[in-house]
Amino acid sequence: MNVAYYCENILIKGMNNKVKFDLKENEIIDDLELDGLKLIQNNKFFKFGIDAVLLSDFAKTIKRDTKVIDFGTGTGIVPILLTSKTKAKQIIGVEIQKELVEIAKRNVELNNLQEKIEIIHEDINKLKDPLEKNTFDAVVTNPPYQKVNSGVTNETQEKVIARHEVKCDFETICKQAYKLLVDNGEIYIVHRAERLADVLFDLRNNKLEPKLLRLVYSNPNSKPNLILVKAVKNAKPFLKIEKNLIIYKENGEYTDEIFKIYGKMKEGRRW
């Protein structure tokens, strides 16, 4: 069943817009509560979570007027958030699932970001023109966290692709990032903490030198569950470990840093 959705007063580049979108079955529109940004999501697919938000904030040091590519863009959430967090000139999102590509393109249109974001339907294993080698300043990626035949398997195929390395593994992401990045180009990653050794090994093995590492904890008493890693193409070895990022206080409220990362996002929202 389609539902007509009217999006009024989206503030993009100082313009007021009214756009009609026909929502498809299982689709909703999330108000990101950040610079007027909104996002179409489908309950059939894996929805974005705090990892995408943390990745976009971690990558906020991407330089002005640069060219960025997002591997496994899904609904386009990371490129959309990056338009608020950075001054990147162009962001390309690559996604293998056709239905997600269509949703991501609609999200770009919904937010009037056609001049900044392009969504490409492509297999990361087989990247080809117009993605020219040595032309991107930065890569961002929120890849599938789990190896094949691990974790929960009684999921839809769409969610299995998002969570498991059935279509693309992290080593392939590193190989393709190296090809596309300019010399000293950067890659920003969010991954599961238990995959830290794999992530660092694959990065260095593909001449992407880990330069910055941050561990993410759910609360002060928990073990780390996520890692944020920045690596640089053909850089010399030197790894800086930043202060731990803690999401929730002991009383269950967000920490001050998380509130700062979310900016104007609703205080009561939990990811």
Side-chain angles (χ1 to χ4, degrees), residues 60-155:
K60 65 186 177 185
T61 56
I62 289 174
K63 296 179 179 64
R64 178 185 292 270
D65 296 329
T66 49
K67 188 176 179 182
V68 182
I69 188 166
D70 176 27
F71 286 160
T73 199
T75 57
I77 178 61
V78 172
I80 287 170
L81 289 176
L82 284 177
T83 63
S84 177
K85 298 280 187 177
T86 75
K87 298 295 184 182
K89 182 177 181 180
Q90 180 187 19
I91 307 172
I92 294 178
V94 178
E95 174 57 46
I96 192 172
Q97 297 192 68
K98 185 177 180 179
E99 289 180 80
L100 279 177
V101 169
E102 293 173 355
I103 294 174
K105 288 182 177 180
R106 290 163 64 207
N107 278 325
V108 172
E109 182 182 356
L110 175 64
N111 290 287
N112 269 359
L113 292 170
Q114 297 94 320
E115 292 184 3
K116 279 197 170 185
I117 300 176
E118 179 183 358
I119 305 297
I120 295 177
H121 182 207
E122 186 62 270
D123 183 345
I124 294 172
N125 295 278
K126 305 173 183 178
L127 292 180
K128 53 182 182 296
D129 293 341
L131 302 179
E132 298 178 9
K133 295 180 180 179
N134 308 312
T135 58
F136 287 86
D137 302 285
V139 172
V140 293
T141 185
N142 181 4
Y145 291 156
Q146 297 177 333
K147 293 190 174 185
V148 178
N149 299 322
S150 67
V152 178
T153 56
N154 59 335
E155 302 174 302

Side-chain angles (χ1 to χ4, degrees), residues 185-189 203 208-211 229-233:
E186 304 166 339
I187 178 170
Y188 296 84
I189 305 133
L203 285 169
L208 300 168
E209 186 62 31
K211 304 297 287 184
V229 182
K230 173 186 173 181
V232 177
K233 179 177 176 177

Side-chain angles (χ1 to χ4, degrees), residues 95-271:
E95 174 57 46
I96 192 172
Q97 297 192 68
K98 185 177 180 179
E99 289 180 80
L100 279 177
V101 169
E102 293 173 355
I103 294 174
K105 288 182 177 180
R106 290 163 64 207
N107 278 325
V108 172
E109 182 182 356
L110 175 64
N111 290 287
N112 269 359
L113 292 170
Q114 297 94 320
E115 292 184 3
K116 279 197 170 185
I117 300 176
E118 179 183 358
I119 305 297
I120 295 177
H121 182 207
E122 186 62 270
D123 183 345
I124 294 172
N125 295 278
K126 305 173 183 178
L127 292 180
K128 53 182 182 296
D129 293 341
L131 302 179
E132 298 178 9
K133 295 180 180 179
N134 308 312
T135 58
F136 287 86
D137 302 285
V139 172
V140 293
T141 185
N142 181 4
Y145 291 156
Q146 297 177 333
K147 293 190 174 185
V148 178
N149 299 322
S150 67
V152 178
T153 56
N154 59 335
E155 302 174 302
T156 64
Q157 181 63 18
E158 292 83 2
K159 291 183 178 179
V160 168
I161 291 173
R163 288 178 170 146
H164 298 258
E165 294 179 329
V166 294
K167 294 292 184 179
C168 180
D169 58 25
F170 187 70
E171 182 181 9
T172 298
I173 286 174
C174 293
K175 289 180 183 299
Q176 298 291 34
Y178 185 84
K179 289 179 183 178
L180 295 179
L181 284 171
V182 298
D183 200 34
N184 290 315
E186 304 166 339
I187 178 170
Y188 296 84
I189 305 133
V190 62
H191 217 300
R192 292 298 296 268
E194 62 262 29
R195 297 290 305 274
L196 176 59
D198 295 332
V199 169
L200 297 182
F201 175 83
D202 286 336
L203 285 169
R204 176 169 277 184
N205 202 40
N206 287 280
K207 300 181 182 179
L208 300 168
E209 186 62 31
K211 304 297 287 184
L212 191 63
L213 168 65
R214 195 168 196 195
L215 302 179
V216 182
Y217 294 73
S218 179
N219 61 68
N221 301 312
S222 68
K223 297 178 180 179
N225 58 348
L226 291 174
I227 53 172
L228 295 163
V229 182
K230 173 186 173 181
V232 177
K233 179 177 176 177
N234 293 330
K236 294 181 179 180
F238 181 83
L239 176 62
K240 177 182 177 182
I241 301 177
E242 286 196 332
K243 178 183 176 182
N244 296 335
L245 175 58
I246 300 173
I247 298 172
Y248 298 109
K249 301 177 183 178
E250 290 185 353
N251 63 6
E253 295 179 357
Y254 281 136
T255 60
D256 292 342
E257 184 171 6
I258 294 298
F259 273 126
K260 184 178 179 181
I261 289 173
Y262 282 159
K264 299 176 184 177
M265 290 185 177
K266 290 182 179 178
E267 181 174 332
R269 185 168 191 167
R270 294 177 67 91
W271 298 81

Side-chain angles (χ1 to χ4, degrees), residues 9-71:
N9 298 323
I10 301 177
L11 299 178
I12 303 292
K13 297 181 181 178
M15 298 176 61
N16 290 334
N17 303 280
K18 183 174 181 180
V19 184
K20 177 183 175 182
F21 280 83
D22 291 324
L23 294 184
K24 301 177 181 178
E25 186 176 1
N26 297 319
E27 285 187 348
I28 60 171
I29 287 188
D30 252 337
D31 187 343
L32 300 180
E33 297 292 335
L34 181 68
D35 295 338
L37 298 173
K38 301 181 186 295
L39 194 81
I40 301 169
Q41 298 199 86
N42 190 315
N43 293 325
K44 177 181 177 182
F45 295 95
F46 186 74
K47 292 183 178 180
F48 83 92
I50 195 170
D51 46 2
V53 178
L54 297 182
L55 174 62
S56 64
D57 187 76
F58 186 64
K60 65 186 177 185
T61 56
I62 289 174
K63 296 179 179 64
R64 178 185 292 270
D65 296 329
T66 49
K67 188 176 179 182
V68 182
I69 188 166
D70 176 27
F71 286 160

